[in-house]
Amino acid sequence: MNTYNGIPIFEYSLLAHSIIFTLLFIGLSAAFAFWIYTSLTMKNPKGRQHLKKLKEKAENDELAKKRLVKIELKNKRRRKRNKENIIIDVVIWCLSVCMAAVILAWGVIPGWTDYVKKDYLIYTGEITVYNQMKRSRIELEDGTTIWGIGDFDEENTYGTVIYSKRTKLFLGGIN
């Protein structure tokens, strides 16, 4: 347990928040990188090598030239058929990039910045405590919502609250 301006604070919630969002970002990035790698290398290596050899043979051999044209037409038809899949892949790619950017901008960077810089705010004044099952919160007089309530009860209307500046997570306080 640390203290901030003489008031005991618990930074574990901020640290847990930062770690969870970092792991989420890394997991999404790894899945995205794996998906890109598999989509780019999905083609059969033997098939690519066969096509390369056929192109070399096609310069001199008429039969190889006909086979090469036939394979290229077949690949062209396959690409036309798979146009919908390409569109879906691009949409998934865009959504993944947007999701990663949102996680980075709203979870990872603010959480670690608050934790590393110890960028905490102290508020003393009127508060409203909402004790709910999933997401308890404290609303300050200026309209700021602090996530978490610590030792505060719904009856408390005045107190000192310490919270992180960017993530608005409750770190400590006294009635």
Side-chain angles (χ1 to χ4, degrees), residues 12-27:
Y12 301 115
S13 62
L14 179 61
L15 186 60
H17 174 271
S18 300
I19 290 172
I20 288 170
F21 275 99
T22 301
L23 290 175
L24 187 63
F25 176 73
I26 290 171

Side-chain angles (χ1 to χ4, degrees), residues 75-91:
N75 287 341
K76 189 176 180 181
R77 284 192 303 270
R78 186 178 298 137
R79 275 193 300 272
K80 265 189 181 178
R81 275 194 316 253
N82 291 339
K83 217 179 243 188
E84 291 176 12
N85 290 342
I86 292 171
I87 293 171
I88 291 171
D89 287 349
V90 168
V91 168

